[in-house]
Amino acid sequence: MTATLEEPTTLEVLLGTVGAVMTRDVVLVAADMAAELALRRLDRGAVSGAPVVERGRVVGVVTRRDLLVPTLAGAPARSAGPLGGGSWYRLVGLRVTDLMSDEPVTVTPDRPLVEAARTMLGHGVNRVPVIDCAGRPLGILTRDDVLRAVAGCH
């Protein structure tokens, strides 16, 4: 009987690529969209952040936190609004481009998931837009997507 040795399976092989685990149904917001509308879009999509697009290309990322910070700072609230505490009016006049993180960290779908997870950790981000070679959005890779892959639930 002859024993054959198999090559060790690496974590990279086990987890696969970004494209295998990314979220394809992604909420997108436009750079010139009013901040309060972007916040509503995130709420409707039940997501905490989204890629920002301009002319079909990803130009940034915006999170609920980015959109809510202006409502918490500054003068006392004057009137009650949908966010509670009367701070909703502070978003009026602001655009997504005023509040987003520009120069986003992005990945391509063919990138190994392990590398993408290391990139996310290295940049301290919880989500990265997945783009094609022209910078157009294909999906998003979130911390939860990575955790599901590691847990074998993808």
Side-chain angles (χ1 to χ4, degrees):
M1 178 181 246
T2 306
T4 57
L5 298 175
E6 293 182 28
E7 289 187 34
T9 306
T10 65
L11 187 58
E12 193 170 291
V13 171
L14 282 172
L15 294 180
T17 64
V18 167
V21 301
M22 71 183 191
T23 300
R24 294 177 188 280
D25 186 20
V26 62
V27 173
L28 299 172
V29 296
D32 63 350
M33 178 181 279
E36 66 269 19
L37 293 178
L39 186 55
R40 287 186 190 128
R41 179 168 287 175
L42 294 181
D43 286 344
R44 271 184 305 205
V47 296
S48 60
V52 179
V53 293
E54 187 173 59
R55 290 183 288 243
R57 292 192 169 85
V58 174
V59 295
V61 172
V62 71
T63 65
R64 285 183 50 77
R65 179 180 291 171
D66 295 333
L67 295 167
L68 289 172
V69 164
T71 69
L72 303 174
R78 295 186 295 225
S79 64
L83 292 176
S87 54
W88 182 257
Y89 77 93
R90 292 187 186 118
L91 285 180
V92 173
L94 292 176
R95 300 278 171 206
V96 170
T97 193
D98 300 324
L99 304 170
M100 70 182 192
S101 300
D102 52 7
E103 298 183 26
V105 178
T106 60
V107 295
T108 56
D110 60 338
R111 188 156 178 204
L113 184 59
V114 171
E115 284 182 23
R118 287 182 183 134
T119 298
M120 291 168 72
L121 282 170
H123 288 275
V125 296
N126 294 325
R127 68 196 53 76
V128 290
V130 181
I131 60 170
D132 67 12
C133 61
R136 294 179 298 247
L138 299 173
I140 193 162
L141 180 68
T142 66
R143 178 183 56 203
D144 287 349
D145 295 329
V146 174
L147 289 173
R148 273 191 290 281
V150 169
C153 301
H154 68 89

